[in-house]
Amino acid sequence: MSERLTKSAARNIFYGGTAFFLLLFIALSIHTHLYIVNSSTDQATLTPSVAQGKRVWEHNACINCHSLLGEGAYFAPELGNVWVRYGGREHPEGARMGLKAWMRAQPTGVPGRRQMPQFNLSEQELDDLIDFLEWVSRIDTQGWPPNTAG
Amino acid sequence: MKYSTQKLAYPYFIAALALFAVQVLAGVLAGTAYTLPNLMAESLPFHIIRMIHTNALLVWLLLGYFGAAYFLIPEESERDIHSPKIAWLQLFIFVFAALAAVVSYLMGIHEGREFLEQPLWVKVLLVVAFLLFLYNVSMTVLKGRKTVVSTVLLLGMWGAALLFLFAFYNPDNLALDKMYWWYVVHLWVEGIWELIMASMLAFLLIKMTGVDREVIEKWLYVIVGLALFSGLLGTGHHYYWIGTPGYWQWIGSLFSILEVLPFFAMVLWCFHMVYRSGRNHPNKAAMLWSLGCPVMAFFGAGVWGLMHSFSFINFYSHGTQITAAHGHMAFYGAYVMLNLAFFTYALPQLRNVQPYNQILNMWSFWVMTASMAFMTFTLTFAGVLQTHLQRVMGLGFMEIQQQLDLFYWMRLLSGIVFVIGVILYIYAALGPVKNQVSPSLNLRAANK
């Protein structure tokens, strides 16, 4: 094989193949973008408070302890489905109160248990953040995670 | 060293190693937060430590690539670097931006997407430094001899800079955000960075084995071809569960298998070239790192990556300690060892001495490699257990973590041993020059 494959042939395969796979990737990316906007996420309910909640999520770098849809750090629980775990689908008000109470109670100070810092979020920020997590829980994730444990 | 501007690599390597030390120290702190969670919970919370750990890694690896480019481009182009002043300015801006990021993290100032936490103005500074670099090396290459090594390296560097621009795009729709976030993260480390890796290895092979450049460069094309053919659509293995279409499960699973090939090809390439040359290069430590790099990359990035990237396995293992296991060995094998190989090769020339402190350097190789392998195994066991308890049995996250304590203690231990390896390396590389290889031996090998 090494005799038959010349350097210029290898070069042409590299550039030609890369161009081919790049175009294919771009085409699939465009389709995926449209699929996200039109099918898998609920663009209509992406309200300013959901967007604001995403800012709260980012401003406090929640991703560097928690995971969201499985991505992030693995130091603290998955939050893509925390709304479901708190029973938000059946009792939205109860879940909202529960999540707020939990975040306000941090850190727990329990010895030997990982501590979540107190971020001193305002009532508005808490509501926005919970709106964001509720919106995320409705993304069509092909059935992931396998159960409510996340 | 044939060109005086190759000396520019030296300060880059020193800065890179300093940030390497910062990275692994933050790593030990993060490992401590896993085992003794109350200790620093208030003073230095985990999310800040982790930002420093991951960001310092990325920045020092980039500093290593920049330095390597300034070292190898003059030899490849057969002329001095276009502007040493720009290279110094670039270094100053880049290091300033990195330190500013660390300080701002400690003060709690950061953005909030994983690995892209740098405040906006720091991101802008990083881009400015990157552009200065691209201008400087592109001008050098354009005016001089064009080789495959320098072309592939430039492609990699330009690609990395262009893809980083997606870091500035942050849509409100989380699924879109995640989709384009992977353009930076996946297409860097499983795509364009492999071009940088292969071209740096090609340069080391040409210099150390003396095998004909034509042969090495032909296989360089084959390897970077395999990297991009598999890596572009391999992005699919991150598009399973984030709101993306179902066909990515097929594409991602298939191309994940192919993603192993470039790493396997690199192993064969490096060992075959060294075997074929039959030459004993006096810098044995650099040779050890250059052969160790593709092997560990093959296991860390290739095997450990493939292990959990089939969609039907990833459904259960996604976002567990298995990912952490893979991430650690992949980065170490592919990119950390690559840089350490290059530093080990170039530093004797940069310091105007024969290869030195080789025994100590090789000790650091084995200490680091063994402890990283041990860390990867413990995290893999932790991850398998976590996957079963959480994803199959449905137990709560925090409940399970307590049962993984033993593994986290062993991980902390291996992290501490790794830091010892890093200290040995830095001392061997930058400390006093001892035990030089005799110059006559070096000359004989070079004339062969």
Side-chain angles (χ1 to χ4, degrees), chain A residues 54-104:
Chain A
K54 186 165 181 276
R55 300 284 100 79
V56 175
W57 168 267
E58 288 166 1
H59 184 72
N60 295 289
C62 309
I63 198 86
N64 272 299
C65 286
H66 292 279
S67 58
L68 191 63
L69 304 186
E71 293 162 7
Y74 323 107
F75 190 68
E78 161 69 26
L79 295 184
N81 67 340
V82 70
W83 180 253
V84 179
R85 198 155 59 236
Y86 269 64
R89 278 186 187 158
E90 298 79 26
H91 308 287
E93 276 317 304
R96 188 172 289 268
M97 279 165 59
L99 282 166
K100 280 186 188 173
W102 177 257
M103 284 187 264
R104 287 208 182 99

Side-chain angles (χ1 to χ4, degrees), chain B residues 144-406:
Chain B
R145 180 177 71 146
K146 285 149 198 81
T147 67
V148 183
V149 172
S150 56
T151 309
V152 172
L153 181 64
L154 271 189
L155 266 179
M157 288 298 200
W158 273 100
L162 287 175
L163 287 167
F164 187 69
L165 296 180
F166 283 96
F168 293 92
Y169 175 57
N170 184 8
D172 289 336
N173 186 318
L174 182 79
L176 280 184
D177 169 3
K178 283 181 175 291
M179 175 187 160
Y180 290 106
W181 179 79
W182 283 113
Y183 274 34
V184 187
V185 177
H186 171 94
L187 290 181
W188 264 28
V189 301
E190 293 174 67
I192 215 79
W193 275 28
E194 286 180 46
L195 268 57
I196 300 169
M197 176 183 178
S199 62
M200 281 167 65
L201 280 177
F203 177 81
L204 291 174
L205 287 176
I206 290 171
K207 295 295 163 184
M208 287 198 290
T209 67
V211 172
D212 186 18
R213 173 185 284 275
E214 287 296 304
V215 179
I216 290 179
E217 290 190 334
K218 177 173 79 181
W219 291 106
L220 175 58
Y221 272 131
V222 173
I223 286 165
V224 292
L226 286 172
L228 289 185
F229 301 171
S230 63
L232 283 166
L233 288 178
T235 315
H237 61 225
H238 303 291
Y239 287 173
Y240 294 158
W241 329 113
I242 59 170
T244 31
Y247 56 70
W248 285 113
Q249 295 189 29
W250 295 99
I251 298 174
S253 300
L254 176 65
F255 281 84
S256 295
I257 305 175
L258 302 177
E259 272 195 40
V260 182
L261 294 180
F263 291 108
F264 188 61
M266 276 191 246
V267 176
L268 294 181
W269 184 49
C270 291
F271 276 83
H272 185 66
M273 291 306 148
V274 170
Y275 175 75
R276 187 168 154 167
S277 81
R279 167 171 142 183
N280 272 328
H281 193 274
N283 196 333
K284 289 194 169 53
M287 192 65 104
L288 180 64
W289 283 106
S290 306
L291 291 174
C293 165
V295 172
M296 293 302 284
F298 168 70
F299 282 107
V303 178
W304 253 257
L306 182 63
M307 197 166 71
H308 64 134
S309 52
F310 293 109
S311 64
F312 52 88
I313 293 173
N314 192 261
F315 183 69
Y316 295 99
S317 67
H318 182 49
T320 62
Q321 293 296 330
I322 290 181
T323 318
H326 158 61
H328 278 89
M329 189 142 78
F331 264 101
Y332 173 70
Y335 302 120
V336 171
M337 293 179 86
L338 172 72
N339 270 324
L340 298 185
F342 204 96
F343 300 171
T344 305
Y345 170 76
L347 277 169
Q349 297 172 57
L350 291 169
R351 300 181 71 177
N352 269 328
V353 291
Q354 299 301 320
Y356 57 94
N357 298 352
Q358 298 218 54
I359 303 291
L360 196 59
N361 187 311
M362 289 192 267
W363 265 103
S364 80
F365 171 96
W366 290 110
V367 171
M368 276 191 254
T369 304
S371 57
M372 184 50 74
F374 189 78
M375 184 186 296
T376 304
F377 296 147
T378 55
L379 288 177
T380 305
F381 286 120
V384 170
L385 198 55
Q386 182 192 3
T387 301
H388 184 73
L389 293 174
Q390 189 176 329
R391 298 285 162 71
V392 181
M393 311 281 283
L395 268 65
F397 178 93
M398 292 304 287
E399 203 180 330
I400 296 160
Q401 293 299 315
Q402 288 170 352
Q403 302 191 36
L404 304 179
D405 230 23
L406 174 67

Side-chain angles (χ1 to χ4, degrees), chain B residues 50-218:
Chain B
R50 184 172 185 270
M51 264 179 233
I52 296 173
H53 182 55
T54 56
N55 282 226
L57 167 70
L58 294 171
V59 169
W60 89 256
L61 292 178
L62 285 170
L63 282 168
Y65 304 154
F66 293 144
Y70 284 129
F71 186 85
L72 74 81
I73 292 281
E75 279 192 35
E76 291 292 298
S77 305
E78 296 183 331
R79 61 179 301 126
D80 271 309
I81 289 291
H82 177 64
S83 162
K85 278 203 187 94
I86 290 181
W88 277 102
L89 180 66
Q90 181 215 343
L91 176 67
F92 175 75
I93 294 176
F94 210 82
V95 170
F96 172 78
L99 294 178
V102 171
V103 171
S104 66
Y105 295 164
L106 290 171
M107 290 163 59
I109 302 167
H110 47 70
E111 292 193 2
R113 292 191 299 161
E114 198 183 5
F115 313 137
L116 305 178
E117 296 91 350
Q118 313 81 31
L120 184 64
W121 62 273
V122 172
K123 283 197 184 81
V124 172
L125 282 183
L126 293 175
V127 171
V128 169
F130 224 123
L131 288 175
L132 289 174
F133 167 80
L134 290 172
Y135 168 76
N136 211 1
V137 291
S138 300
M139 290 302 284
T140 315
V141 171
L142 284 176
K143 284 191 201 154
R145 180 177 71 146
K146 285 149 198 81
T147 67
V148 183
V149 172
S150 56
T151 309
V152 172
L153 181 64
L154 271 189
L155 266 179
M157 288 298 200
W158 273 100
L162 287 175
L163 287 167
F164 187 69
L165 296 180
F166 283 96
F168 293 92
Y169 175 57
N170 184 8
D172 289 336
N173 186 318
L174 182 79
L176 280 184
D177 169 3
K178 283 181 175 291
M179 175 187 160
Y180 290 106
W181 179 79
W182 283 113
Y183 274 34
V184 187
V185 177
H186 171 94
L187 290 181
W188 264 28
V189 301
E190 293 174 67
I192 215 79
W193 275 28
E194 286 180 46
L195 268 57
I196 300 169
M197 176 183 178
S199 62
M200 281 167 65
L201 280 177
F203 177 81
L204 291 174
L205 287 176
I206 290 171
K207 295 295 163 184
M208 287 198 290
T209 67
V211 172
D212 186 18
R213 173 185 284 275
E214 287 296 304
V215 179
I216 290 179
E217 290 190 334
K218 177 173 79 181

